[in-house]
């Protein structure tokens, strides 16, 4: 089974992606995703992260959307390592803040600041905003870049029921991503979203980033109060991963 590089230095994101890969071979997902008919166990793939390539320079995230930034990171990892690359770009959008922090989520309080500083800034900006106006969502874009000759299937997106070059709320491919952005490459980008409400104080010790203040009304818990396996079943990253899993199987399986 081929290798894959997760284009992230964020240990939290890397572990969530590793866990999603470990769970990808569950029998119950085969019919739902339509791409695991051979019982591919992606957990056996050689999974690496940017921590394994300290010589690679950091990627400047100049995109204006999560999808653009994810693709920038996946391209750079693919070019720098020669391995198929999966990159994540994700963040928090708060409606009353006009979508902020958005693509600046990781550095909202300033470059080099930590999760605590970012949370404090968000809560400060929200102030005494009433709960009904604190609606928000986590967005996650996952981008995959790999050479077409690495494919086990020539048309993985069609096997998965996707339409090349199209995306919608149900998930598929971002326009223009199907191999047209790097000559000779195959590129795929999907987006997952998860709705919630921002509460005024932290709850829970799991997860990372804004998870302690991201409240899920139907669960009456924050993301940080969910066990990792529970979060990985419902999160924005899990929803994006479910969409791109057929592509990973087509490149890595066998």
């Amino acid at each position: 089974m081929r290798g894959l590089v997760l284009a992230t230095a964020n240990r939290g994101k890397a572990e969530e992606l590793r866990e999603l890969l470990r769970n990808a071979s569950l029998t119950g997902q085969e019919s739902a995703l339509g791409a695991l008919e051979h019982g591919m166990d992606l957990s056996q793939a050689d999974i690496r992260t940017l921590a394994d390539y300290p010589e690679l320079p950091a990627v400047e995230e100049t995109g204006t959307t999560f999808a653009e930034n994810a693709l920038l990171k996946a391209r750079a990892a693919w070019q720098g390592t020669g391995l198929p690359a999966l990159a994540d770009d994700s963040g928090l959008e708060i409606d009353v803040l006009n979508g902020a922090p958005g693509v600046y989520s990781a550095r909202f309080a300033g470059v080099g600041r930590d999760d605590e500083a970012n949370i404090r800034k968000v809560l400060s900006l929200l102030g005494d905003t009433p709960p009904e106006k604190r609606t928000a969502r986590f967005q996650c874009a996952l981008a995959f870049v790999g050479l077409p000759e690495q494919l086990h299937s020539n048309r993985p997106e069609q096997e998965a029921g996707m339409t090349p070059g199209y995306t919608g709320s149900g998930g598929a491919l971002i326009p223009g991503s199907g191999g047209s952005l790097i000559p000779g490459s195959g590129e795929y980008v999907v987006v997952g979203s998860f709705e919630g409400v921002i509460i005024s104080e932290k709850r829970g010790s799991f997860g990372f980033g804004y998870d302690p203040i991201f409240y899920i009304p139907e669960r009456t818990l924050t993301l940080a109060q969910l066990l990792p396996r529970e979060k990985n079943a419902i999160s924005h990253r899990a929803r994006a991963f479910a969409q791109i899993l057929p592509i990973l199987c087509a490149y890595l399986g066998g």
Side-chain angles (χ1 to χ4, degrees):
M1 186 168 286
R2 296 192 178 102
L4 171 71
V5 59
L6 303 178
T8 182
N10 182 309
R11 286 184 293 180
K13 286 185 179 182
E15 183 52 38
E16 283 192 6
L17 288 168
R18 285 183 186 275
E19 183 65 22
L20 288 166
L21 286 163
R22 283 192 288 267
N23 293 335
S25 298
L26 295 175
T27 303
Q29 293 193 44
E30 292 185 22
S31 59
L33 294 171
L36 299 179
E37 66 273 12
H38 300 299
M40 298 173 188
D41 185 359
L42 297 184
S43 67
Q44 300 303 308
D46 178 14
I47 307 299
R48 308 178 188 181
T49 72
L50 294 183
D52 297 304
Y53 301 93
E55 72 280 5
L56 294 182
V59 176
E60 187 175 358
E61 298 180 24
T62 57
T64 59
T65 66
F66 296 118
E68 290 173 357
N69 282 332
L71 192 53
L72 285 173
K73 291 186 279 190
R75 288 176 182 170
W78 172 68
Q79 292 171 328
T81 68
L83 290 174
L86 179 67
D88 160 293
D89 196 63
S90 54
L92 178 67
E93 296 179 340
I94 302 173
D95 293 322
V96 74
L97 299 183
N98 298 315
V103 295
Y104 304 104
S105 292
R107 54 191 186 277
F108 195 44
V111 177
R113 306 301 295 277
D114 59 13
D115 292 344
E116 291 294 325
N118 289 332
I119 288 174
R120 285 196 299 271
K121 181 171 181 178
V122 163
L123 295 182
S124 175
L125 289 173
L126 288 176
D128 58 359
T129 301
E132 65 272 15
K133 294 186 178 180
R134 288 173 170 254
T135 52
R137 70 203 49 80
F138 272 123
Q139 298 270 29
C140 173
L142 288 177
F144 178 87
V145 176
L147 290 172
E149 54 264 35
Q150 294 173 317
L151 276 169
H152 281 276
S153 164
N154 291 327
R155 312 182 81 175
E157 63 275 5
Q158 292 188 3
E159 287 188 3
M162 294 178 172
T163 302
Y166 171 79
T167 187
S169 59
L173 307 180
I174 296 294
S177 66
S180 64
L181 300 180
I182 300 178
S185 77
E187 298 184 340
Y188 307 89
V189 185
V190 298
V191 177
S193 181
F194 189 65
E195 300 286 330
V197 175
I198 303 302
I199 58 175
S200 58
E201 59 181 21
K202 296 191 300 178
R203 298 182 193 172
S205 57
F206 297 108
F208 60 96
Y210 298 96
D211 287 358
I213 59 171
F214 190 86
Y215 181 76
I216 312 161
E218 59 268 29
R219 298 293 295 271
T220 64
L221 296 169
T222 68
L223 272 180
Q225 290 176 298
L226 297 178
L227 293 173
R229 66 175 180 273
E230 295 175 312
K231 176 183 176 181
N232 286 338
I234 63 174
S235 73
H236 52 305
R237 191 165 291 108
R239 294 178 182 192
F241 183 84
Q243 296 169 39
I244 211 159
L245 178 57
I247 303 299
L248 297 182
C249 288
Y251 272 81
L252 303 180

